[in-house]
Amino acid sequence: DDGVYLAAGTQQGHVFIWHLNSGDMLRMFSAHYRAIQQVLFLKDTSFLVTASADSAIKSWNMADVLDVMRTNATPPCHQVITDHHLAVSDLKCCGRPGWVAS
């Protein structure tokens, strides 16, 4: 998200979000039921994408992730892709804004 946030995934399937300027951890939520292999902010969008050993790719709208009214709950997932048969180990941004390849 234009270098304002840092996101990391854990072996337990959690996502952590920090604000880079302040260093404050803003959010932690459960995103997958297995290890998160990759996190990626999509260029020119406000979406975070996670890929996991559970064979799923999920996209999260950062407005929902950072919504203070939802700090104790998992934010709604914008989209889930479950067509993989094995763990998803990598994500790359494609040429068009909002496109991703796994």
Side-chain angles (χ1 to χ4, degrees):
D1 232 29
D2 294 332
V4 175
Y5 304 107
L6 172 70
T10 70
Q11 291 290 330
Q12 294 77 28
H14 297 107
V15 171
F16 288 82
I17 307 287
W18 290 271
H19 190 271
L20 285 177
N21 291 338
S22 68
D24 292 338
M25 187 180 77
L26 303 175
R27 191 72 190 271
M28 185 280 292
F29 62 93
S30 180
H32 293 268
Y33 68 90
R34 294 193 62 199
I36 294 177
Q37 308 284 14
Q38 182 82 26
V39 293
L40 176 72
F41 287 105
L42 292 184
K43 292 181 180 181
D44 302 325
T45 73
S46 58
F47 287 92
L48 173 72
V49 180
T50 57
S52 172
D54 64 12
S55 305
I57 298 172
K58 296 182 178 183
S59 66
W60 311 87
N61 186 323
M62 285 299 291
D64 291 334
V65 169
L66 299 173
D67 185 350
V68 237
M69 299 305 289
R70 294 186 169 129
T71 53
N72 294 324
T74 298
C77 184
H78 177 72
Q79 184 176 15
V80 181
I81 300 169
T82 58
D83 294 337
H84 294 86
H85 297 286
L86 298 172
V88 182
S89 59
D90 199 14
L91 296 170
K92 297 290 182 210
C93 284
C94 295
R96 293 179 55 182
W99 284 41
V100 67
S102 62

